[in-house]
Amino acid sequence: GNSVTQMEGPVTLSEEAFLTINCTYTATGYPSLFWYVQYPGEGLQLLLKATKADDKGSNKGFEATYRKETTSFHLEKGSVQVSDSAVYFCALSDREGGSYIPTFGRGTSLIVHP
Amino acid sequence: DVKVTQSSRYLVKRTGEKVFLECVQDMDHENMFWYRQDPGLGLRLIYFSYDVKMKEKGDIPEGYSVSREKKERFSLILESASTNQTSMYLCASSSPPPRQGRGAKNIQYFGAGTRLSVL
């Protein structure tokens, strides 16, 4: 079956530091890949996505590249802000068994200090 | 903007009570989902629905049931609440239908969540 593994947190950084959150996946088909973000007290919302190998998703300064050869989709940001403090979820969507039920990682908490 | 609305942000119930969690979406999405979110465990799928009156079990359906009488509304029911059902519950919706389109369109839109405490 499908699975998503992401680094455990919390990740604690100072403002303007470089961020990487690792995500690797296993899938039976050719999945689409997503990063969702959950701000405190809110539900998840889509941050970025990529649908095929070597695609780069980007939004709000965050980027992730679909690497089929390493089955990875690492999230990066060059300079984090306090407002980026949130929980980040890597996810995939694949037509396994005729459905598009997404598979989520367990989430990585990011804490950014001023 | 897509809006997924969960009826309550916080609920406190007693063991043995029947609990209803309501979710409404305004984007005519075919697919709706209920998850629970627990620290260290991420999101776990309870039930999902691809159409009105249609439901399928997710990974942890025990102790839960669902109802989808109208396309925009998906209800989660705890028949007899227990303390181990204390959790954050998240509803989500998505489009298009599962057997059409590309996976990239299968973006999930989430409600703000209901934090349920069972005492």
Side-chain angles (χ1 to χ4, degrees):
Chain A
N2 296 338
S3 67
V4 175
T5 303
Q6 58 183 109
M7 59 192 291
E8 292 190 25
V11 173
T12 304
L13 295 173
S14 298
E15 204 164 25
E16 299 183 3
F18 184 85
L19 168 71
T20 300
I21 300 178
N22 290 336
C23 171
T24 57
Y25 68 90
T26 58
T28 54
Y30 197 151
S32 294
L33 302 175
F34 307 84
W35 277 100
Y36 287 83
V37 59
Q38 184 180 30
Y39 298 106
E42 299 182 13
L44 281 70
Q45 58 186 274
L46 180 69
L47 180 60
L48 54 83
K49 67 183 189 311
T51 62
K52 60 184 187 294
D54 300 324
D55 264 4
K56 178 184 282 188
S58 61
N59 186 24
K60 299 181 181 180
F62 291 88
E63 293 183 340
T65 301
Y66 190 142
R67 300 288 188 200
K68 195 167 190 291
E69 65 277 12
T70 55
T71 62
S72 64
F73 193 54
H74 304 321
L75 183 68
E76 296 182 336
K77 187 175 186 182
S79 176
V80 294
Q81 305 300 311
V82 173
S83 58
D84 293 326
S85 298
V87 181
Y88 293 82
F89 291 88
C90 185
L92 70 81
S93 180
D94 186 16
R95 195 173 171 174
E96 179 183 4
S99 72
Y100 281 112
I101 302 301
T103 301
F104 288 88
R106 293 192 173 187
T108 301
S109 175
L110 171 65
I111 301 168
V112 181
H113 293 294
Chain B
D1 279 352
V2 175
K3 193 160 187 181
V4 179
T5 303
Q6 296 184 229
S7 53
S8 305
R9 293 299 300 271
Y10 301 95
L11 273 179
V12 180
K13 297 292 181 180
R14 297 208 176 272
T15 302
E17 280 193 77
K18 190 168 186 176
V19 181
F20 293 86
L21 303 183
E22 306 287 347
C23 176
V24 177
Q25 50 96 3
D26 65 359
M27 280 301 291
D28 202 36
H29 284 165
E30 290 82 2
N31 309 330
M32 296 189 75
F33 306 80
W34 275 106
Y35 296 90
R36 62 177 284 176
Q37 181 179 16
D38 300 289
L41 298 178
L43 273 69
R44 292 182 291 169
L45 182 63
I46 304 171
Y47 267 98
F48 57 98
S49 170
Y50 290 136
D51 203 349
V52 175
K53 296 191 186 296
M54 184 275 179
K55 61 185 178 185
E56 290 197 26
K57 294 179 180 179
D59 300 319
I60 52 164
E62 295 79 19
Y64 303 94
S65 62
V66 290
S67 172
R68 193 163 181 202
E69 296 297 317
K70 294 185 177 181
K71 190 175 185 179
E72 67 271 19
R73 186 179 297 270
F74 192 37
S75 303
L76 180 69
I77 304 156
L78 286 65
E79 296 291 343
S80 178
S82 64
T83 55
N84 63 12
Q85 293 178 309
T86 292
S87 186
M88 170 70 88
Y89 290 88
L90 293 169
C91 175
S93 70
S94 72
S95 185
R99 288 171 179 76
Q100 301 173 21
R102 294 176 57 84
K105 293 181 183 176
N106 194 30
I107 296 167
Q108 294 217 311
Y109 297 88
F110 284 82
T114 297
R115 186 166 294 282
L116 173 67
S117 296
V118 182
L119 307 179

